[in-house]
Amino acid sequence: MFDHRGVFAFTIELWDLPTEAGIKDRKFIEWYRDHPHEEDLQILKWADEQIGEQAYVPGMNLTIPSWEKWN
């Protein structure tokens, strides 16, 4: 980003969440495109065990006034 816009940017480290959650024998990129719903639940279970209640935040409704003019 700095080369194009002169902006310093930082990102989090990429790590292998599915493997940490116990999902094995998969193709890395293809898995992110399509995988069974059960594996999402396996990751959620892992997050609950490792992080606790803060691992899941229920959805919420947001009102963004600047977007109303586009509807």
Side-chain angles (χ1 to χ4, degrees):
M1 187 124 184
F2 182 78
D3 293 337
H4 299 284
R5 305 204 185 261
V7 176
F8 286 104
F10 298 92
T11 60
I12 61 169
E13 178 182 344
L14 283 177
W15 56 284
D16 194 357
L17 177 60
T19 299
E20 288 292 321
I23 299 167
K24 308 284 184 202
D25 299 325
R26 63 183 175 76
K27 294 184 178 181
F28 188 81
I29 299 299
E30 289 79 1
W31 184 88
Y32 282 99
R33 292 182 183 141
D34 186 36
H35 58 271
H37 176 71
E38 292 77 20
E39 291 179 352
D40 289 332
L41 297 176
Q42 189 173 342
I43 290 172
L44 183 59
K45 179 182 177 199
W46 176 88
D48 286 342
E49 292 169 353
Q50 299 299 315
I51 304 168
E53 294 179 6
Q54 296 176 340
Y56 177 77
V57 178
M60 60 187 97
N61 293 325
L62 298 175
T63 301
I64 303 173
S66 62
W67 287 9
E68 291 177 2
K69 65 181 178 183
W70 299 103
N71 290 333

